[in-house]
Each structure stands twice: as C-alpha cells, then as structure tokens.
C-alpha cells in the first residue's frame, strides 16, 4: 500500500488530466460530426475527479441511450458506456483507456448512432 501511495504522489496529475481530456476531445470531434449529436465535458463533484464526457442527441437519432449502449456492448470489441442515473445520456471517461482505444470507441459510437439516424 505504501508503494502504491508513493507511485501516486510521484505522478504528474496535470499531465494525466490533459491526456485524458485530449482523448475525450478526439472522441467528441468524431461523434459530433453525426447530425443531432452534441457533447459536453465535465468533472464529477463526487468520485472519479477526472474528465468525463456526456453524449446527447435529438430525435433524429431513433434510439435511446440505453439502446445505443446495448448495441455497443454487442459489438466487437464490446464497449460499455454509462447511461446516466436516469438513462438519459451516454457518458464516459478516458482514464483507463490504452493508447488508440479512443479511436476505436469513436468509430464504434459513430457507426451505431448513424445506424439509428433518420
């Protein structure tokens, strides 16, 4: 436990947050090209104080966030996003992503959203 704490204290937290935000911005840039889709960045007040992104869309996408999430879970690779407390949005953070996985997520989300676009 002491070693884990030492490692944590030696990390450059500002640089990590910038990298995590950059990954979310890359995903946002791609999925925002789909008509009707918007994104918003935030850092939760409680737990996981790292950059997060919320994904919303209007009626031009004929699926709910839960339906889009289910389709992403069935894909290869399976992608699991949060659907918010009320199931009204998709959201994600990027602090556990490996390099390049942001591109995989962006591509999959775009494909699923376009498949449900009117």
């Amino acid at each position: 436990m002491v070693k884990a704490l030492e490692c944590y204290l030696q990390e450059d937290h500002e640089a990590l947050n910038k990298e995590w935000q950059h990954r979310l911005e890359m995903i946002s840039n791609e999925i925002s090209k789909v008509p009707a889709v918007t994104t918003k960045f935030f850092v939760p007040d409680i737990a996981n104080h790292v950059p997060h992104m919320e994904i919303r869309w209007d009626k031009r996408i004929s699926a709910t966030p839960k339906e889009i999430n289910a389709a992403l879970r069935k894909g290869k690779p399976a992608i699991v996003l949060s659907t918010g407390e009320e199931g009204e949005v998709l959201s994600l953070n990027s602090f556990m992503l490996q390099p390049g996985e942001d591109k995989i997520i962006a591509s999959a989300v775009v494909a699923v959203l376009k498949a449900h676009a009117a």
Side-chain angles (χ1 to χ4, degrees):
M1 189 162 156
V2 171
K3 184 63 176 173
L5 181 58
E6 287 173 350
C7 289
Y8 175 81
L9 292 173
Q10 292 174 1
E11 288 183 325
D12 184 344
H13 297 280
E14 185 175 333
L16 287 171
N17 275 324
K18 284 181 181 179
E19 175 60 28
W20 297 331
Q21 181 68 34
H22 175 74
R23 291 176 184 171
L24 291 177
E25 288 171 1
M26 196 292 293
I27 295 169
S28 175
N29 288 340
E30 291 304 310
I31 64 176
S32 294
K33 293 176 184 176
V34 177
V37 177
T38 59
T39 62
K40 179 177 106 177
F41 301 104
F42 67 99
V43 175
D45 292 331
I46 302 174
N48 291 331
H49 296 282
V50 297
H52 284 62
M53 181 175 66
E54 179 181 282
I55 306 166
R56 292 182 180 268
W57 53 89
D58 65 27
K59 294 178 184 178
R60 291 177 279 178
I61 307 277
S62 63
T64 67
K66 287 184 179 183
E67 291 167 334
I68 297 294
N69 195 37
L72 289 167
R73 283 177 180 247
K74 291 178 185 173
K76 298 286 185 219
I79 295 171
V80 179
L81 304 179
S82 172
T83 55
E85 292 183 21
E86 304 296 323
E88 73 283 7
V89 300
L90 288 179
S91 65
L92 69 147
N93 63 60
S94 63
F95 76 95
M96 291 189 289
L97 296 181
Q98 298 299 310
E101 289 179 338
D102 50 349
K103 293 174 181 65
I104 294 168
I105 291 170
S107 178
V109 172
V110 165
V112 172
L113 289 170
K114 283 184 175 181
H116 290 86

